[in-house]
Amino acid sequence: MKNNPLSCLCIALCLVFLNAALFSQHKQETYSGNLVLSLKAGYHTSYRISSDNGFPDGSVFGGSIAVGTGKNFLIGFNFDYWKRKDVAVQPSLTNITLSKNYSGFGFRFFVQYRRTLFGKLDLYADAGIGQYRISYNYMSGSTYNSDNNGYLNSAVSIGAGWKLTKYLILNAELSHSGLVSFDVGGSSSARITHIKFGPTLFFKMK
């Protein structure tokens, strides 16, 4: 049975908050006033490649910046970028094969809950909203074609990492975005999941 990425994400999100509640009696670091910078790279899923709003899977690069507003809460900005060339695509209801070049760029503003357990284990979860744009181009005979799809991006993320030093953490992150486009002719939707790894840096602002 194929797992639904969003269901797995929700289960994991609940576990993050359960862990935080169970260990709330331990002394916790405060993120208030901290500046948090993160860079990550990894893999993103595909979506219905033969449809007009489809795209392939591949590598993804992303980053974020956030500022602590409370003991365990931060607000921030996140971006993701990916690109893949020469993807063989057979459009729906046709017998032709096209070689398409794709690129995607998304961003969102988010609110994050973050907690450190045992002085080493870093856990966080966030949710936010922004935009996501997926573009493609291809040659059909001697004709150059291009298009792009812009979406409202609503996403949730969970992450876990290990504190290597006081100001450096190595994190793994799973995020899932629901993409919705509204137009005069109706709406369309897509979804994309990112799995990324990378360092996170903390800077004391006060």
Side-chain angles (χ1 to χ4, degrees):
M1 181 178 177
K2 188 176 181 180
N3 291 325
N4 185 324
L6 186 56
S7 298
C8 296
L9 191 62
C10 291
I11 293 172
L13 183 62
C14 292
L15 291 175
V16 169
F17 285 101
L18 179 60
N19 277 335
L22 289 175
F23 293 99
S24 60
Q25 69 271 26
H26 290 267
K27 184 179 179 180
Q28 296 293 320
E29 294 185 11
T30 177
Y31 294 97
S32 179
N34 280 11
L35 178 66
V36 182
L37 299 178
S38 179
L39 292 175
K40 295 182 178 69
Y43 168 82
H44 73 85
T45 57
S46 63
Y47 181 78
R48 298 180 181 177
I49 188 64
S50 61
S51 65
D52 287 340
N53 64 332
F55 51 85
D57 62 350
S59 301
V60 61
F61 171 79
S64 66
I65 181 171
V67 176
T69 58
K71 183 177 180 180
N72 296 107
F73 287 93
L74 303 94
I75 56 173
F77 173 84
N78 162 273
F79 78 90
D80 291 295
Y81 174 77
W82 54 267
K83 189 173 185 178
R84 188 169 172 188
K85 294 184 176 181
D86 301 323
V87 181
V89 178
Q90 185 175 15
S92 301
L93 306 177
T94 70
N95 293 319
I96 62 173
T97 299
L98 302 173
S99 180
K100 290 187 175 183
N101 302 312
Y102 290 86
S103 65
F105 177 78
F107 71 87
R108 62 187 172 96
F109 297 92
F110 63 82
V111 176
Q112 183 178 91
Y113 179 87
R114 195 166 200 132
R115 199 176 186 95
T116 302
L117 302 181
F118 313 116
K120 288 289 186 180
L121 181 60
D122 177 61
L123 299 174
Y124 64 90
D126 60 58
I129 194 167
Q131 292 186 338
Y132 212 110
R133 184 167 297 276
I134 298 173
S135 306
Y136 63 86
N137 62 73
Y138 63 93
M139 294 295 296
S140 179
S142 59
T143 304
Y144 175 82
N145 300 273
S146 65
D147 200 359
N148 63 78
N149 297 308
Y151 300 96
L152 175 68
N153 174 21
S154 56
V156 292
S157 298
I158 58 171
W162 192 255
K163 183 173 286 189
L164 302 178
T165 71
K166 187 175 181 180
Y167 302 109
L168 175 63
I169 294 176
L170 185 61
N171 284 109
E173 180 182 282
L174 173 66
S175 63
H176 183 79
S177 294
L179 310 177
V180 181
S181 175
F182 301 98
D183 203 346
V184 177
S187 63
S188 61
S189 64
R191 57 183 178 271
I192 187 169
T193 299
H194 299 153
I195 303 171
K196 295 178 293 186
F197 304 88
T200 297
L201 296 171
F202 290 83
F203 298 92
K204 296 285 187 181
M205 302 298 290
K206 63 179 182 178

